[in-house]
Amino acid sequence: MIILFDLDDTLIDSESAHLLAFDQMCQEHLKIENNNAQNWITIKNRNLNLFFEGKISLEEHRLNSIIEFCKNKRLQNFKS
């Protein structure tokens, strides 16, 4: 068995794959379009920085990111 660790994205462009998958999920399942992946990355990174600074927990980072994204997109049936 061989296990590969791609620490610097030289084997797989994981960021682009992540962005493409997120956009596809938004279009297919949430029925929203227009720059979702970049908006998500901005929100996620802002909350991730708060986590690294010790201001919020990892769970708060995840929840805050999802809540902010959904509120920004004004998703119906979303409750925070």
Side-chain angles (χ1 to χ4, degrees):
M1 177 192 317
I2 298 174
I3 298 175
L4 299 174
F5 292 95
D6 185 18
L7 301 177
D8 60 358
D9 276 353
T10 54
L11 299 175
I12 298 172
D13 182 359
S14 59
E15 183 175 343
S16 293
H18 177 95
L19 295 175
L20 181 64
F22 190 84
D23 263 340
Q24 187 173 359
M25 185 225 26
C26 287
Q27 292 171 11
E28 290 180 15
H29 300 287
L30 301 176
K31 307 299 183 209
I32 56 175
E33 297 184 17
N34 301 329
N35 202 24
N36 295 307
Q38 192 54 54
N39 187 25
W40 171 252
I41 294 298
T42 301
I43 292 168
K44 182 183 70 81
N45 286 343
R46 181 172 41 252
N47 283 295
L48 192 58
N49 286 335
L50 292 173
F51 167 70
F52 287 143
E53 293 169 3
K55 295 179 179 175
I56 61 174
S57 69
L58 184 58
E59 183 178 359
E60 288 171 316
H61 149 63
R62 292 173 176 162
L63 289 173
N64 291 349
S65 297
I66 292 168
I67 290 168
E68 185 178 345
F69 179 80
C70 290
K71 284 184 177 179
N72 284 350
K73 293 296 179 179
R74 292 175 172 62
L75 295 179
Q76 296 177 352
N77 301 324
F78 177 76
K79 298 176 183 172
S80 56

